[in-house]
Amino acid sequence: MLVLLAGIFVVHIATVIMLFVSTIANVWVVSDFTKASVGLWKNCTSDGCDDVLSYASEDALKAVQAFMILSIIFSLISLVVFVFQLFTMEKGNRFFLSGATMLVCWLCIMVGVSIYTHHYANGQGTQYQSSHHGYSFILTWICFCFSFIIGVLYLVLRKK
């Protein structure tokens, strides 16, 4: 049981780190023809990054930014609550609060990435019409899967 909890804790920390990286990095969409990429915050080319996104004023991008930040916050809260519950909870109880918080994180990731996929997938809303998904976009979907698995495991596991 201790090994399982330690494994879940390590995966949870990895998920938090991947959420930070995927939200901060500007590689959500990568151009097929030039060395350029677009993220949630900046447009990067081989010359450097600038703060000008052609679609920065769109509500969809602001919603994606907000949901990704919320997912990081809920993931961190879930991690802190899990550690707190690990040392204060009585034996036999379940990690309901950590699991519920992690599932809220999962929901925020799902909403944010779904909005981004709908509006900006394949460069539709960006300036790169011929493009593919970058590692930040893929990392976010991996975090989506991990956060669901972690949330469900927290709800199922009992402290022994």
Side-chain angles (χ1 to χ4, degrees):
M1 184 64 163
L2 183 62
V3 174
L4 182 62
L5 286 175
I8 293 170
F9 183 73
V10 169
V11 172
H12 194 150
I13 290 175
T15 302
V16 170
I17 292 170
M18 288 189 297
L19 273 173
F20 268 112
V21 169
S22 66
T23 303
I24 294 170
N26 293 303
V27 193
W28 282 63
V29 174
V30 179
S31 173
D32 288 337
F33 298 116
T34 62
K35 284 188 142 185
S37 63
V38 175
L40 298 180
W41 314 101
K42 294 182 180 186
N43 182 17
C44 296
T45 61
S46 57
D47 298 330
C49 294
D50 57 5
D51 293 335
V52 179
L53 283 174
S54 59
Y55 54 94
S57 62
E58 291 184 20
D59 291 336
L61 181 68
K62 291 177 184 177
V64 173
Q65 291 171 342
F67 278 110
M68 291 309 296
I69 290 171
L70 281 173
S71 70
I72 292 171
I73 291 169
F74 281 118
S75 184
L76 285 171
I77 290 171
S78 177
L79 187 63
V80 169
V81 167
F82 172 69
V83 171
F84 181 74
Q85 283 182 325
L86 197 59
F87 292 110
T88 61
M89 192 169 59
E90 295 176 11
K91 290 185 178 186
N93 290 343
R94 296 180 189 260
F95 298 96
F96 282 122
L97 191 55
S98 344
T101 310
M102 197 62 189
L103 288 177
V104 171
C105 166
W106 168 74
L107 188 66
C108 289
I109 295 171
M110 181 180 65
V111 171
V113 144
S114 298
I115 292 170
Y116 194 88
T117 303
H118 175 71
H119 286 278
Y120 308 112
N122 300 322
Q124 292 170 353
T126 67
Q127 59 197 21
Y128 308 117
Q129 295 305 318
S130 179
S131 60
H132 61 277
H133 301 297
Y135 72 85
S136 295
F137 183 79
I138 296 166
L139 263 180
T140 306
W141 279 111
I142 292 170
C143 290
F144 169 77
C145 297
F146 281 174
S147 62
F148 180 73
I149 292 168
I150 293 167
V152 169
L153 284 175
Y154 280 157
L155 290 176
V156 171
L157 289 179
R158 292 180 184 266
K159 183 177 177 183
K160 290 188 177 185

